[in-house]
């Protein structure tokens, strides 16, 4: 990757080295992995001086996911999630663990559960401000809606997932009926593999 920006590449490289060490320990339970990932991600998003500007570009209509690093063995991936003003996800899941670290701006997440009568909100909406870290996984709650907290500015969070999330088969949910649809998100900066 060409570094044409003034961004400091060290923090991301340090983070990737820490992630490599964390996922190398395959014996530890997910909760321990998430705790360690959360600490490393918290350190990464504590400073906003390292994200290459090409991975911070919003799209006028859709939120963007840029791949920053994919582990060669698909044990984890690191993504910059760029929200244009007012942008919002559908209700979706991940089918793997994920950690979300807020880098710039703010976002609001709302957890959901799938019931016979449709999707229902569970718990309070959670706002993430710069430096904050949150988690998802099938074990602790994997279904949510996330939106930019701002209608007038870009927000960016850094996501880490327990697989190559751009290739992961997962789901969106119809709010009224709970009906599931499978999707694969891909990345804004990576050509999708042809099926
Ligand atoms: Fe999500």
């Amino acid at each position: 990757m060409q570094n044409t920006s003034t961004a400091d590449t060290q923090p991301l490289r340090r983070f990737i080295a820490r992630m490599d060490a964390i996922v190398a320990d395959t014996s530890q339970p997910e909760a321990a992995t998430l705790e360690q990932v959360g600490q490393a991600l918290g350190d990464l998003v504590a400073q906003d001086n390292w994200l290459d500007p090409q991975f911070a570009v919003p799209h006028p209509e859709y939120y963007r996911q840029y791949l920053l690093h994919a582990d060669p063995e698909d044990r984890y991936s690191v993504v910059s999630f760029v929200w244009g003003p007012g942008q919002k996800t559908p209700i979706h899941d991940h089918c793997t663990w994920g950690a979300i670290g807020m880098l710039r701006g703010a976002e609001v997440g709302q957890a959901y559960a799938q019931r016979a009568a449709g999707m229902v909100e569970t718990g309070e909406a959670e706002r993430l401000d710069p430096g904050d870290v949150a988690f998802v996984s099938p074990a602790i709650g994997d279904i949510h809606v996330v939106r930019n907290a701002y209608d007038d500015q870009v927000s960016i969070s850094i996501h880490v997932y327990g697989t190559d999330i751009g290739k992961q088969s997962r789901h969106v949910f119809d709010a009224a009926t709970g009906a599931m649809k499978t999707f694969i998100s891909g990345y804004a900066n990576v050509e999708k593999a042809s099926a």
Side-chain angles (χ1 to χ4, degrees), residues 130-174:
D132 289 344
V133 175
F135 302 97
V136 291
S137 99
I140 60 172
D142 197 35
I143 305 175
H144 66 175
V145 164
V146 189
R147 63 176 171 85
N148 190 345
Y150 294 104
D151 287 330
D152 58 357
Q153 71 176 70
V154 170
S155 293
I156 301 177
S157 51
I158 305 303
H159 297 201
V160 187
Y161 298 97
T163 187
D164 186 339
I165 195 67
K167 299 194 297 201
Q168 173 75 13
S169 180
R170 49 201 181 112
H171 311 95
V172 290
F173 300 83
D174 183 89

Coordinates of all heavy atoms in Angstrom, one line a residue, residues 130-174:
P130 N -15.3 9.3 20.6 CA -13.9 8.9 20.4 C -13.2 8.3 21.6 O -13.3 8.8 22.7 CB -13.3 10.2 20.0 CG -14.4 11.0 19.3 CD -15.6 10.6 20.1
G131 N -12.6 7.1 21.3 CA -11.9 6.4 22.4 C -12.8 5.2 23.0 O -12.2 4.3 23.6
D132 N -14.1 5.3 22.8 CA -15.0 4.3 23.3 C -14.9 3.0 22.5 O -14.7 3.0 21.3 CB -16.4 4.7 23.3 CG -16.7 5.8 24.3 OD1 -15.9 6.0 25.2 OD2 -17.8 6.5 24.2
V133 N -15.1 1.8 23.1 CA -15.1 0.5 22.5 C -16.3 -0.3 22.9 O -16.7 -0.2 24.0 CB -13.8 -0.3 22.9 CG1 -13.8 -1.7 22.3 CG2 -12.5 0.5 22.4
A134 N -16.9 -0.9 21.9 CA -18.1 -1.8 22.2 C -17.9 -3.1 21.5 O -17.0 -3.2 20.6 CB -19.4 -1.1 21.7
F135 N -18.7 -4.1 21.8 CA -18.5 -5.5 21.3 C -19.8 -6.1 20.8 O -20.9 -5.7 21.3 CB -17.9 -6.4 22.4 CG -16.6 -5.9 23.0 CD1 -16.6 -5.2 24.2 CD2 -15.4 -6.2 22.3 CE1 -15.4 -4.8 24.7 CE2 -14.2 -5.7 22.9 CZ -14.2 -5.0 24.1
V136 N -19.7 -7.0 19.8 CA -20.8 -7.8 19.4 C -20.3 -9.2 19.2 O -19.1 -9.4 19.1 CB -21.4 -7.4 18.0 CG1 -22.1 -6.0 18.1 CG2 -20.3 -7.3 16.9
S137 N -21.2 -10.2 19.4 CA -20.9 -11.6 19.0 C -22.1 -12.4 19.2 O -23.0 -12.0 20.0 CB -19.7 -12.1 19.8 OG -20.2 -12.9 20.9
P138 N -22.2 -13.5 18.5 CA -23.4 -14.4 18.8 C -23.6 -14.7 20.2 O -24.7 -14.9 20.7 CB -23.1 -15.6 17.9 CG -22.2 -15.1 16.8 CD -21.3 -14.0 17.5
A139 N -22.5 -14.8 21.0 CA -22.6 -15.2 22.4 C -23.1 -14.0 23.3 O -23.8 -14.3 24.3 CB -21.2 -15.6 23.0
I140 N -22.9 -12.8 22.9 CA -23.2 -11.7 23.8 C -24.3 -10.7 23.2 O -24.7 -9.8 23.8 CB -22.0 -10.8 24.2 CG1 -21.3 -10.2 23.0 CG2 -21.0 -11.6 25.0 CD1 -20.2 -9.2 23.3
G141 N -24.7 -11.0 22.0 CA -25.7 -10.2 21.3 C -25.1 -9.7 20.0 O -24.0 -9.0 20.0
D142 N -25.6 -10.2 18.9 CA -25.0 -10.0 17.6 C -25.8 -9.2 16.6 O -25.4 -8.9 15.5 CB -24.7 -11.4 17.0 CG -23.7 -11.4 15.9 OD1 -22.8 -10.5 16.0 OD2 -23.9 -12.1 14.9
I143 N -27.0 -8.8 17.0 CA -27.9 -8.1 16.1 C -28.1 -6.6 16.5 O -28.4 -6.4 17.7 CB -29.3 -8.8 16.1 CG1 -29.2 -10.3 15.8 CG2 -30.2 -8.1 15.0 CD1 -30.5 -11.1 15.8
H144 N -27.9 -5.7 15.6 CA -28.1 -4.3 16.0 C -28.3 -3.4 14.7 O -28.1 -3.9 13.6 CB -26.9 -3.8 16.8 CG -25.6 -3.8 16.1 ND1 -24.4 -3.2 16.7 CD2 -25.2 -4.1 14.9 CE1 -23.4 -3.3 15.8 NE2 -23.8 -3.8 14.7
V145 N -28.6 -2.2 15.0 CA -28.7 -1.1 14.1 C -27.7 -0.1 14.6 O -27.6 0.2 15.8 CB -30.1 -0.5 14.0 CG1 -30.0 0.9 13.3 CG2 -31.0 -1.4 13.2
V146 N -26.9 0.5 13.7 CA -25.9 1.5 14.1 C -26.1 2.7 13.1 O -26.4 2.5 11.9 CB -24.5 1.0 14.0 CG1 -23.5 2.1 14.6 CG2 -24.3 -0.3 14.7
R147 N -26.0 3.9 13.7 CA -26.1 5.1 12.8 C -25.1 6.2 13.3 O -24.7 6.2 14.4 CB -27.6 5.7 12.9 CG -28.0 6.2 14.3 CD -29.3 6.8 14.3 NE -29.8 7.1 15.7 CZ -29.5 8.2 16.4 NH1 -28.8 9.1 15.8 NH2 -30.0 8.3 17.6
N148 N -24.8 7.0 12.3 CA -24.0 8.2 12.6 C -24.8 9.0 13.6 O -26.0 9.3 13.4 CB -23.8 9.0 11.4 CG -22.7 10.1 11.5 OD1 -22.4 10.5 12.7 ND2 -22.3 10.6 10.4
A149 N -24.2 9.5 14.7 CA -24.9 10.3 15.7 C -25.1 11.7 15.2 O -25.9 12.5 15.7 CB -24.1 10.4 17.0
Y150 N -24.4 12.0 14.1 CA -24.5 13.4 13.5 C -25.2 13.4 12.2 O -24.9 12.6 11.3 CB -23.1 14.0 13.4 CG -22.4 14.2 14.7 CD1 -21.4 13.3 15.1 CD2 -22.7 15.2 15.5 CE1 -20.8 13.5 16.3 CE2 -22.1 15.4 16.8 CZ -21.1 14.5 17.2 OH -20.5 14.7 18.4
D151 N -26.0 14.5 12.0 CA -26.6 14.7 10.7 C -25.8 15.7 9.8 O -26.2 15.9 8.7 CB -28.0 15.3 10.9 CG -29.0 14.3 11.4 OD1 -28.8 13.1 11.1 OD2 -29.9 14.6 12.1
D152 N -24.7 16.2 10.3 CA -24.0 17.2 9.6 C -22.5 17.0 9.6 O -21.8 17.9 9.3 CB -24.3 18.6 10.3 CG -23.9 18.6 11.7 OD1 -23.5 17.6 12.3 OD2 -24.1 19.7 12.4
Q153 N -22.1 15.8 10.0 CA -20.6 15.5 9.9 C -20.3 14.1 9.7 O -21.2 13.2 10.1 CB -19.9 16.1 11.1 CG -20.1 15.4 12.4 CD -19.2 16.0 13.5 OE1 -19.5 17.1 14.0 NE2 -18.2 15.2 13.9
V154 N -19.1 13.8 9.2 CA -18.7 12.4 9.0 C -18.3 11.8 10.4 O -17.7 12.5 11.2 CB -17.5 12.4 8.0 CG1 -16.9 11.0 8.0 CG2 -18.0 12.8 6.6
S155 N -18.6 10.5 10.6 CA -18.1 9.8 11.8 C -17.3 8.6 11.3 O -17.7 8.0 10.2 CB -19.2 9.4 12.7 OG -19.8 10.6 13.3
I156 N -16.3 8.2 12.0 CA -15.5 7.0 11.6 C -15.3 6.1 12.8 O -14.8 6.6 13.9 CB -14.2 7.4 11.0 CG1 -14.4 8.3 9.8 CG2 -13.4 6.2 10.6 CD1 -13.1 8.8 9.1
S157 N -15.6 4.8 12.7 CA -15.2 3.9 13.7 C -14.3 2.8 13.1 O -14.4 2.5 11.9 CB -16.4 3.3 14.4 OG -17.4 2.8 13.5
I158 N -13.5 2.2 13.9 CA -12.6 1.1 13.5 C -13.1 -0.2 14.0 O -13.4 -0.3 15.2 CB -11.2 1.4 14.0 CG1 -10.7 2.8 13.6 CG2 -10.2 0.3 13.5 CD1 -10.7 3.0 12.1
H159 N -13.4 -1.1 13.1 CA -14.0 -2.4 13.5 C -13.0 -3.5 13.4 O -12.2 -3.6 12.4 CB -15.2 -2.7 12.6 CG -16.3 -1.7 12.8 ND1 -17.6 -2.0 12.4 CD2 -16.3 -0.5 13.2 CE1 -18.4 -1.0 12.6 NE2 -17.6 0.0 13.1
V160 N -13.0 -4.4 14.3 CA -12.2 -5.7 14.2 C -13.1 -6.8 14.4 O -14.0 -6.8 15.2 CB -11.1 -5.7 15.4 CG1 -10.2 -6.9 15.2 CG2 -10.4 -4.4 15.5
Y161 N -13.0 -7.8 13.5 CA -13.9 -9.0 13.5 C -13.1 -10.3 13.6 O -11.9 -10.3 13.1 CB -14.8 -9.0 12.3 CG -15.7 -7.8 12.1 CD1 -15.3 -6.7 11.3 CD2 -16.9 -7.8 12.8 CE1 -16.2 -5.7 11.2 CE2 -17.8 -6.7 12.6 CZ -17.4 -5.6 11.8 OH -18.2 -4.6 11.7
G162 N -13.7 -11.3 14.0 CA -13.0 -12.6 14.2 C -12.9 -13.4 13.0 O -12.7 -14.6 13.1
T163 N -13.0 -12.8 11.8 CA -12.8 -13.5 10.5 C -12.7 -12.4 9.5 O -12.7 -11.2 9.8 CB -14.0 -14.4 10.2 OG1 -13.8 -15.1 9.0 CG2 -15.3 -13.5 10.0
D164 N -12.6 -12.7 8.2 CA -12.6 -11.7 7.2 C -14.0 -11.3 6.9 O -14.8 -12.0 6.2 CB -11.9 -12.2 5.9 CG -11.8 -11.2 4.8 OD1 -12.6 -10.1 4.9 OD2 -11.0 -11.3 3.9
I165 N -14.4 -10.2 7.6 CA -15.9 -9.9 7.6 C -16.4 -9.6 6.2 O -17.6 -9.8 5.9 CB -16.1 -8.7 8.6 CG1 -17.6 -8.5 8.9 CG2 -15.6 -7.4 8.0 CD1 -18.2 -9.7 9.7
G166 N -15.6 -9.1 5.3 CA -16.0 -8.8 3.9 C -16.4 -10.1 3.2 O -17.2 -10.0 2.2
K167 N -16.0 -11.2 3.6 CA -16.3 -12.5 3.0 C -17.3 -13.3 3.8 O -17.7 -14.4 3.4 CB -15.1 -13.4 2.8 CG -14.0 -12.7 1.9 CD -12.9 -13.6 1.5 CE -12.1 -14.2 2.6 NZ -10.8 -14.7 2.2
Q168 N -17.7 -12.8 4.9 CA -18.6 -13.6 5.9 C -20.0 -13.5 5.4 O -20.6 -12.4 5.2 CB -18.4 -13.0 7.3 CG -19.3 -13.5 8.3 CD -18.9 -14.9 8.8 OE1 -17.8 -15.4 8.5 NE2 -19.8 -15.6 9.5
S169 N -20.7 -14.7 5.4 CA -22.1 -14.7 5.1 C -22.9 -14.4 6.4 O -22.6 -15.0 7.4 CB -22.4 -16.1 4.6 OG -23.8 -16.2 4.3
R170 N -23.7 -13.4 6.3 CA -24.5 -13.0 7.5 C -25.8 -12.4 7.1 O -26.2 -12.7 6.0 CB -23.7 -12.0 8.3 CG -23.1 -10.8 7.6 CD -21.9 -10.2 8.3 NE -21.3 -9.0 7.7 CZ -21.4 -7.8 8.1 NH1 -22.0 -7.5 9.2 NH2 -20.8 -6.8 7.4
H171 N -26.5 -11.7 7.9 CA -27.9 -11.5 7.7 C -28.4 -10.0 7.9 O -27.8 -9.4 8.8 CB -28.8 -12.4 8.6 CG -28.4 -13.8 8.6 ND1 -27.5 -14.3 9.5 CD2 -28.6 -14.8 7.7 CE1 -27.3 -15.6 9.2 NE2 -27.9 -15.9 8.1
V172 N -29.4 -9.6 7.2 CA -30.2 -8.4 7.5 C -31.6 -8.9 7.9 O -32.0 -9.9 7.4 CB -30.2 -7.4 6.4 CG1 -28.8 -6.7 6.2 CG2 -30.7 -8.0 5.1
F173 N -32.2 -8.1 8.7 CA -33.5 -8.5 9.2 C -34.6 -7.5 8.9 O -34.3 -6.3 9.0 CB -33.5 -8.7 10.7 CG -32.5 -9.7 11.2 CD1 -31.1 -9.4 11.3 CD2 -32.9 -11.0 11.5 CE1 -30.2 -10.3 11.7 CE2 -31.9 -11.9 11.9 CZ -30.6 -11.6 12.0
D174 N -35.8 -7.9 8.5 CA -36.9 -7.0 8.3 C -37.5 -6.6 9.6 O -37.8 -7.5 10.4 CB -37.9 -7.7 7.4 CG -39.1 -6.7 7.1 OD1 -39.0 -6.0 6.1 OD2 -40.1 -6.7 7.9

